[in-house]
């Protein structure tokens, strides 16, 4: 059974185009209408054939939709929803894929006070952006977290759950505030650390840039993959999930200071016991199917 018949995707970058490709593959009878603010992206989406129709305005895109998914940077969600508010059918469900949920829920409900809004976050992605970067299996075996507000109709939540399940995702419901705290640790803080380390190396005097790149296989290059993520998307994530990120950053700074002390005073047992704990976390991630066990992230040698 198809949970929706007419899907509109606003924002046809990595995530939006992956949703479109996944729907084409798994729910081919669903009609897909797309819109993106960037005319070059719209043109590319037409050339790739990932939507049935690509419109020049977001209003035209939502006209008879039964599901609208916003796949734009989190800071743009409210403005995009305001653009199409007057054209949105009363019974359409509005959702999104934003990496933070509280700020997006507030932005959407402020401009769409009467709409059925069910925010969502597929915890899947890559460091690439744009319509060419998407692929139909991006969400397969990954989690998609729905953060419905208290008054959300059960039937709407169920339809969205089935939609994401058909794209291959495992679906979980969560409170938006809790989501933002969990993702601050599992996603936002790691990105901040990667941006910092790569920035620090770039600023170093005495180590030429070519040496940093030449010897990057010592660990640095794994951070550069994360630090290559889209600058606009991540600027918006940190500004939107400010409180949770600052709280996690505070805890991280304290733990870093403790490690600094352990190194300074030669407390090898403290270092070893932490490193043993963290190695077990890696094992659990592999055991739960959230990564595969290939050595060196599966790189060919
Ligand atoms: P992306 O590849 O940069 O795609 C975003 C697209 O939205 C771009 O084509 C952008 O056009 C367009 N856009 C920006 N403002 C718009 C507006 N006002 N109206 C219509 N289109 C607009 O980014 P993405 O990685 O797909 O991220 C999209 C969303 O998914 C974000 O909210 C992000 O937090 C979330 N997300 C990302 C990941 C990930 O790993 N990347 C994972 C999970 C969730 P321009 O060419 O003008 O920029």
């Amino acid at each position: 059974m198809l949970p929706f018949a007419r899907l509109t995707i606003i924002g046809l970058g990595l995530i939006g185009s992956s949703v479109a490709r996944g729907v084409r593959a798994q729910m081919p009878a669903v009609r897909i209408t797309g819109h993106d603010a960037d005319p070059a992206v719209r043109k590319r989406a037409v050339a790739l054939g990932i939507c049935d129709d690509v419109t020049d305005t977001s209003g035209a895109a939502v006209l008879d939709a039964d599901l609208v998914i916003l796949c734009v940077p989190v800071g743009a969600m409210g403005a995009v929803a305001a653009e199409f508010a007057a054209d949105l059918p009363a019974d359409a469900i509005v959702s999104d894929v934003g990496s933070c949920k509280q700020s997006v829920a507030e932005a959407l409900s402020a401009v769409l006070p009467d709409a059925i809004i069910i925010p969502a976050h597929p915890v899947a992605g890559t460091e690439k952006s744009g319509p060419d970067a998407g692929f139909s299996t991006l969400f397969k075996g990954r989690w998609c977290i729905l953060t419905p507000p208290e008054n959300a109709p059960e039937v709407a939540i169920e339809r969205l759950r089935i939609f994401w399940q058909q794209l291959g995702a495992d679906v979980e419901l969560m409170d938006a505030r809790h989501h933002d705290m969990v993702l601050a640790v599992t996603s936002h803080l790691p990105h901040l650390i990667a941006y910092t380390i790569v920035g620090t190396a770039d600023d170093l005097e005495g180590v030429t840039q070519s040496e940093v790149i030449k010897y990057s296989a010592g660990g640095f290059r794994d951070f550069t993959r994360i630090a290559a993520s889209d600058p606009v998307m991540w600027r918006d994530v940190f500004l939107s999930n400010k409180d949770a990120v600052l709280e996690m950053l505070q805890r991280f700074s304290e733990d870093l200071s403790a490690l600094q002390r352990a190194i300074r005073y030669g407390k090898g047992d403290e270092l070893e016991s932490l490193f043993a704990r963290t190695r077990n976390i890696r094992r659990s991630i592999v055991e739960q199917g959230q990564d595969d066990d290939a050595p060196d992230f599966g790189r060919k040698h």
Side-chain angles (χ1 to χ4, degrees):
M1 189 203 72
L2 285 176
F4 299 97
R6 296 172 307 280
L7 164 68
T8 294
I9 302 170
I10 312 264
L12 296 169
L14 166 70
I15 303 293
S17 75
S18 294
V19 172
R21 287 175 170 100
V23 169
R24 268 265 195 279
Q26 303 303 327
M27 296 170 262
V30 173
R31 199 208 59 200
I32 309 169
T33 304
H35 168 74
D36 194 287
D38 185 341
V41 172
R42 296 203 292 271
K43 198 169 160 204
R44 188 65 193 140
V46 171
L48 290 168
I50 52 179
C51 300
D52 295 299
D53 194 17
V54 176
T55 63
D56 288 344
T57 66
S58 58
V62 304
L63 276 178
D64 66 347
D66 56 6
L67 173 64
V68 177
I69 305 186
L70 305 187
C71 302
V72 300
V74 286
M77 297 279 181
V80 175
E83 244 174 60
F84 66 66
D87 297 299
L88 183 73
D91 57 353
I93 294 173
V94 177
S95 188
D96 75 299
V97 294
S99 306
C100 355
K101 302 283 29 120
Q102 247 189 319
S103 63
V104 171
E106 282 161 17
L108 295 184
S109 57
V111 293
L112 302 171
D114 302 320
I116 305 164
I117 300 168
I118 318 247
H121 177 204
V123 187
T126 74
E127 69 282 16
K128 301 274 187 342
S129 312
D132 285 283
F135 52 100
S136 66
T137 53
L138 177 62
F139 311 109
K140 202 161 175 274
R142 304 271 80 91
W143 287 102
C144 181
I145 303 172
L146 310 187
T147 60
E150 272 178 15
N151 61 351
E154 275 304 315
V155 62
I157 301 170
E158 263 326 289
R159 286 170 73 194
L160 198 61
R161 180 201 289 276
I162 293 167
F163 176 83
W164 280 105
Q165 283 172 338
Q166 294 207 4
L167 292 184
D170 295 317
V171 175
E172 191 127 301
L173 300 193
M174 214 181 262
D175 167 69
R177 202 179 125 73
H178 186 67
H179 165 281
D180 288 356
M181 200 57 96
V182 172
L183 270 291
V185 187
T186 58
S187 172
H188 308 168
L189 193 57
H191 276 79
L192 201 66
I193 293 167
Y195 283 127
T196 313
I197 290 181
V198 177
T200 303
D202 192 41
D203 289 342
L204 277 183
E205 289 165 20
V207 178
T208 63
Q209 278 214 17
S210 65
E211 278 175 314
V212 170
I213 289 166
K214 185 169 164 186
Y215 300 117
S216 63
F220 182 72
R221 71 179 176 188
D222 294 332
F223 285 102
T224 62
R225 188 192 66 75
I226 299 179
S229 300
D230 192 72
V232 172
M233 170 191 155
W234 283 97
R235 175 202 67 194
D236 282 9
V237 168
F238 291 118
L239 297 180
S240 303
N241 199 21
K242 182 175 161 182
D243 293 344
V245 169
L246 288 178
E247 187 175 330
M248 290 307 154
L249 201 53
Q250 176 65 34
R251 295 174 80 132
F252 175 76
S253 307
E254 286 166 17
D255 292 344
L256 197 61
S257 299
L259 269 185
Q260 203 176 350
R261 259 183 90 77
I263 294 170
R264 186 181 307 284
Y265 296 108
K267 307 243 167 156
D269 50 342
E270 278 181 32
L271 297 176
E272 198 181 328
S273 108
L274 172 69
F275 302 162
R277 265 202 294 141
T278 56
R279 180 176 247 197
N280 284 337
I281 295 209
R282 171 73 193 163
R283 284 199 190 112
S284 307
I285 288 170
V286 171
E287 275 162 25
Q288 288 193 23
Q290 293 301 306
D291 204 352
D292 71 40
D293 201 16
D296 198 18
F297 298 115
R299 290 184 181 101
K300 292 191 190 82
H301 289 280

